[in-house]
């Protein structure tokens, strides 16, 4: 088949599908999304299982919207800070809508509580380190 015929058949096939689910053109498949947000496809499926994202389906494929991309970027950032999944599930929408003064204040409070937790953990680690150094000195002494 020559290139002109091939092109015309392709155009006919596209025209015969009612807009080929026009919105599907704005969607990403999991591999594309994974590359764009820097989160593995396996982690994305895990976040779906945990209810943090709800991708649309197109046939047997998951398809992701721009809003899913934003949610995953926020999830990645909160995970990097050490937030547990349960806390992310409960607070994610606040972090995604910081234009609301209520949400901003709640997000600030969550981060402040997390900072306090990190400070406590750091103090515990410093205490354990001092004990380990004392034991080391005793053993090598």
């Amino acid at each position: 088949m020559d290139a002109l015929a091939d092109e015309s058949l392709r155009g006919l096939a596209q025209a015969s599908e009612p807009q080929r689910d026009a919105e599907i053109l704005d969607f990403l498949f999991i591999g594309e999304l994974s590359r764009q947000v820097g989160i593995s496809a396996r982690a994305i499926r895990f976040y779906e299982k945990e209810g943090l994202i709800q991708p649309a389906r197109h046939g047997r494929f998951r398809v992701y919207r721009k809003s899913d991309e934003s949610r995953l970027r926020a999830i990645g950032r909160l995970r990097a800070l050490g937030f547990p999944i349960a806390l992310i599930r409960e607070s994610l929408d606040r972090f995604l809508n910081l234009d609301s003064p209520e949400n901003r204040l709640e997000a600030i409070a969550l981060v402040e509580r997390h900072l306090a937790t990190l400070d406590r953990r750091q103090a515990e680690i410093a205490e354990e380190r001092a004990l380990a150094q004392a034991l080391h000195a005793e053993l090598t002494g």
Side-chain angles (χ1 to χ4, degrees):
M1 178 178 329
D2 65 58
L4 185 57
D6 184 40
E7 193 61 39
S8 121
L9 284 174
R10 197 174 307 131
L12 180 61
Q14 288 173 347
S16 67
E17 296 173 4
Q19 293 186 345
R20 169 102 170 88
D21 294 336
E23 67 271 359
I24 200 73
L25 300 175
D26 294 332
F27 285 66
L28 297 169
F29 290 107
I30 196 166
E32 298 165 308
L33 180 64
S34 173
R35 283 186 294 280
Q36 284 190 9
V37 298
I39 295 175
S40 72
R42 183 175 179 202
I44 292 171
R45 286 188 289 274
F46 171 75
Y47 296 144
E48 177 186 354
K49 185 179 131 236
E50 290 295 319
L52 297 173
I53 57 172
Q54 289 88 32
R57 295 279 179 173
H58 186 69
R60 62 186 183 96
F61 297 101
R62 293 173 176 93
V63 288
Y64 298 87
R65 301 169 291 272
K66 283 289 182 190
S67 60
D68 294 319
E69 184 179 343
S70 299
R71 289 181 74 81
L72 280 169
R73 287 185 191 284
I75 291 165
R77 188 171 187 193
L78 294 171
R79 289 295 292 156
L81 292 170
F83 276 59
I85 293 294
L87 184 56
I88 293 172
R89 184 181 305 109
E90 144 190 338
S91 62
L92 183 59
D93 288 332
R94 290 182 191 99
F95 282 98
L96 290 170
N97 185 15
L98 294 175
D99 292 337
S100 158
E102 258 177 39
N103 285 346
R104 181 171 290 278
L105 289 173
E106 289 180 34
I108 289 169
L110 284 167
V111 172
E112 287 173 347
R113 280 197 305 272
H114 187 64
L115 285 168
T117 299
L118 292 174
D119 288 343
R120 277 193 306 278
R121 285 183 20 211
Q122 187 175 24
E124 289 168 1
I125 290 171
E127 187 176 318
E128 288 175 25
R129 190 172 195 329
L131 292 172
Q133 284 177 320
L135 178 60
H136 183 266
E138 202 177 295
L139 293 172
T140 58

